Amino acid sequence: MENSNVRRRKVDVLAFVRLIVGSVVALMLDHFGLLGLSVNHITAGRVVGVSVMIVGLVITQISKVPSPVRAAHNVTQAQKTDGR
């Protein structure tokens, strides 16, 4: 049986990959005017915008990795609520 944290992590990674691929595909669809879209050529501003989104996603994913300090803090908080 799979741990729920492992399952949640797989979902997070899948969503992360989907957002990155979706952003790049959307940029390409616009650039070439595929699927009946109007042609909006790739500009430096659009590339920077997608890059900033991707960097934000990477930072979000990195910050979700539990650190020993955060884990110790969570244990301390749980002990306080238990009255220990």
Side-chain angles (χ1 to χ4, degrees):
M1 186 172 203
E2 207 172 7
N3 188 351
S4 65
N5 287 336
V6 173
R7 229 177 303 141
R8 187 177 324 131
R9 189 71 182 155
K10 284 183 180 179
V11 171
D12 287 347
V13 170
L14 183 61
F16 174 70
V17 170
R18 258 192 244 156
L19 286 169
I20 289 177
V21 170
S23 299
V24 173
V25 167
L27 203 58
M28 293 291 122
L29 288 174
D30 267 358
H31 178 72
F32 295 111
L34 301 173
L35 302 177
L37 297 172
S38 61
V39 175
N40 294 315
H41 295 291
I42 296 175
T43 62
R46 294 182 74 196
V47 171
V48 168
V50 170
S51 300
V52 167
M53 283 189 344
I54 290 172
V55 168
L57 289 169
V58 169
I59 290 171
T60 302
Q61 288 298 312
I62 289 171
S63 69
K64 286 185 179 182
V65 175
S67 69
V69 173
R70 196 174 305 142
H73 175 72
N74 291 341
V75 169
T76 305
Q77 292 296 78
Q79 289 173 347
K80 285 181 181 177
T81 59
D82 289 343
R84 293 184 200 172

